[in-house]
Amino acid sequence: MSGSSTPEPDLLKALLEPLLEDFQYWFERSQTLLESQPISFLSNEQQADLLARVLQAQREVQTAKLLLKATGGKVGVEAAVMVPWHSLVTECWQVSSRFRLERIQSQDSEP
């Protein structure tokens, strides 16, 4: 997190709030999948690790949202903080996509 000397806190808030909401949305979806479904191509340890990283990222995003709100949009989030979130969302999308594809393929192969 970094203090911003920008004269446009409304612009920062307008851009950052929806981005944080998107991160929160995708992490929640990933959490639901990882907690509710065994992922055949992940070991139990890999699935637990991915879930732990998602939960940690959710806490970080929530903290960023609270700071943004508490400061009236005067505190931003450095790109270096968001890059790992983006990478994690991408990893979760890949897992979800492969999971869905394997489910479809298994349904197609059933008589």
Side-chain angles (χ1 to χ4, degrees), residues 76-100:
V77 179
E78 291 183 17
V81 172
M82 287 190 283
V83 167
W85 296 344
H86 184 268
S87 296
L88 183 57
V89 165
T90 301
E91 183 180 351
C92 290
W93 284 344
Q94 291 169 344
V95 167
S96 177
S97 178
R98 184 172 169 190
F99 177 76
R100 283 192 314 272

Side-chain angles (χ1 to χ4, degrees), residues 63-83:
T63 299
K65 287 176 66 177
L66 290 171
L67 286 171
L68 184 66
K69 184 176 181 177
T71 62
K74 294 179 183 169
V75 171
V77 179
E78 291 183 17
V81 172
M82 287 190 283
V83 167

Side-chain angles (χ1 to χ4, degrees), residues 15-55:
L15 294 173
L16 190 53
E17 263 184 11
L19 181 59
L20 294 174
E21 290 292 330
D22 284 348
F23 279 123
Q24 188 172 33
Y25 172 79
W26 288 111
F27 289 142
E28 286 174 4
R29 286 196 54 159
S30 299
Q31 177 186 359
T32 299
L33 173 66
L34 293 166
E35 288 179 340
S36 66
Q37 300 293 325
I39 311 292
S40 63
F41 53 88
L42 295 177
S43 70
N44 290 340
E45 294 79 19
Q46 289 172 318
Q47 188 166 342
D49 175 69
L50 183 54
L51 177 58
R53 290 185 289 134
V54 165
L55 295 173

